[in-house]
Amino acid sequence: MKHHHRNPRARGGRRKSAPRRDPLIGFEATTTIREIGARGDGIASITGPDGSSIIAYVDCVLPGDEVRVALRQKRGDGYGAELVELIARSAPASAPRCSHYESCGGCALQHLDDDSYRDWKRQKAIIAVQRAGIDPDEAEELVGAVEISPPASRRRAGFAVHVGATGVHVGFHGRFSHTVVNITDCAVLHSDLMAFRDAFETFLGKCDPDAAKTIKEVFATRADNGLDVVIHAGVEPGLDMRQDLAEFAENLDLARLSWKVGDANDEPVAARRTPIVAFEGIDVPVPPGGFLQATQSGEASLVNAIKTALQRIPTRHVADLFCGIGSFTFALALGGDRRNVVAVESDPRAVRSLQYAVGQSSSPIKVVERDLFRRPLDKSDLSGLDLVLFDPPRAGALAQCEYLAVDGPEWLIAVSCNPATFSRDIRVLRNGGYELKQVVPVDQFLWSSHLELFAVLHRPKSALL
């Protein structure tokens, strides 16, 4: 029998008190919206009950709007606030393109007119360039027009799922809530994704409720030859669920349907054909849940920017870092003059897919599996390269940029899905002597605050002497 020694400082019978509720939650005030912030919500200052100034972040408003708001949750240095009443509108607002606009937490900027929206996105890019240490006038010159993906073009989506007493819900989380909003229409998703969502909601409604309740999320990606679907659930599917899913995949002509529990590998339930996407005419198999650019038009904008840059950059030896399954790899290797490309990626399944496509096409590409966060390319790896392209996840590429700043080639191309880490990484490279030559904002997440940035950097050879 184990004897547990009692802590002499412990007080028997004393229970830990419940956390105190923030007294400002629910507080209401009238204010005027000052500006649209980086996350697409309006920013205002309100006076608290003790006379202090409180920053409030409010959705669905325009600069100059007079509003009454209620504080709902702590957020950074202020509070997220719910719009209680729109007292006076400062300018005409665009009609929402989606019936769920006010409840869904997805699109924050549908109420902006097209010109204001485009200007806001471009200003977001200009601010990111300024934060990299570039003065406002130069930043204004460097940033080009925004390339915006059209409505109903998003080709991947992660739907939240809730099955309970109120029925089946397949959609996105609501504002200020973990509630799943049933998305019966959507202005940004491709019609194939919406057709899948509708069918999956109907499917779950016919399933055994206990089995359906284990499903938490479902991710759908539109490949060139059909949908790739991954269901995230709490437990393995039973035999009946497997059979039902196989029939569901057949009826919807899904390319592949997989089931994933926790951190375990996903298991194909219905692998009817391998999903593929084509890059520069080369078919590449997509691993389950594999990453693709959010829209085909956004991908085309980035590839065109790369090809345009390559027309003025004399390159023979290129590295494509964080390459995924090759969104830009084949454009680098085959766009115009053929170039030797080293493609580096940490995800083993993406590496295998890209290696297969390279082998089938005999492209001048070497694929390397390597974690660039833990093992960035160093001086010996970078030696002999004419150009490095890097397209990291939202965390950016700080470790790699620190090596590039010292031993990188003459030319760099940066692609970033996070303006904050873009600013940080570009600042590191500029400290190493690189000059920012061009920035192209690419908007693949229409009416949201997200923005992709493409940049070309050059370090004169004299800077290395």
Side-chain angles (χ1 to χ4, degrees), residues 335-359:
D337 297 334
R338 288 171 69 90
R339 302 171 187 84
N340 296 312
V341 176
V342 177
V344 185
E345 171 58 42
S346 62
D347 182 353
R349 295 196 297 185
V351 168
R352 289 194 295 271
S353 291
L354 185 52
Q355 286 174 331
Y356 173 82
V358 168

Side-chain angles (χ1 to χ4, degrees), residues 219 228-233 235-239 241-243 245-246 249 255-272 287-289 349:
F219 291 85
D228 179 31
V229 176
V230 181
I231 296 172
H232 288 233
V235 298
E236 296 290 342
L239 179 59
M241 176 63 86
R242 290 177 183 273
Q243 292 175 338
L245 286 171
R256 179 175 58 207
L257 191 152
S258 306
W259 189 281
K260 181 175 175 62
V261 178
D263 295 329
N265 289 334
D266 42 73
E267 175 192 358
V269 176
R272 304 178 61 250
R349 295 196 297 185

Side-chain angles (χ1 to χ4, degrees), residues 280-309:
E280 299 299 304
I282 308 299
D283 287 341
V284 183
V286 181
F291 174 81
L292 297 178
Q293 293 294 325
T295 67
Q296 286 183 300
S297 59
E299 179 184 281
S301 294
L302 291 167
V303 169
N304 288 338
I306 291 169
K307 291 180 177 180
T308 300

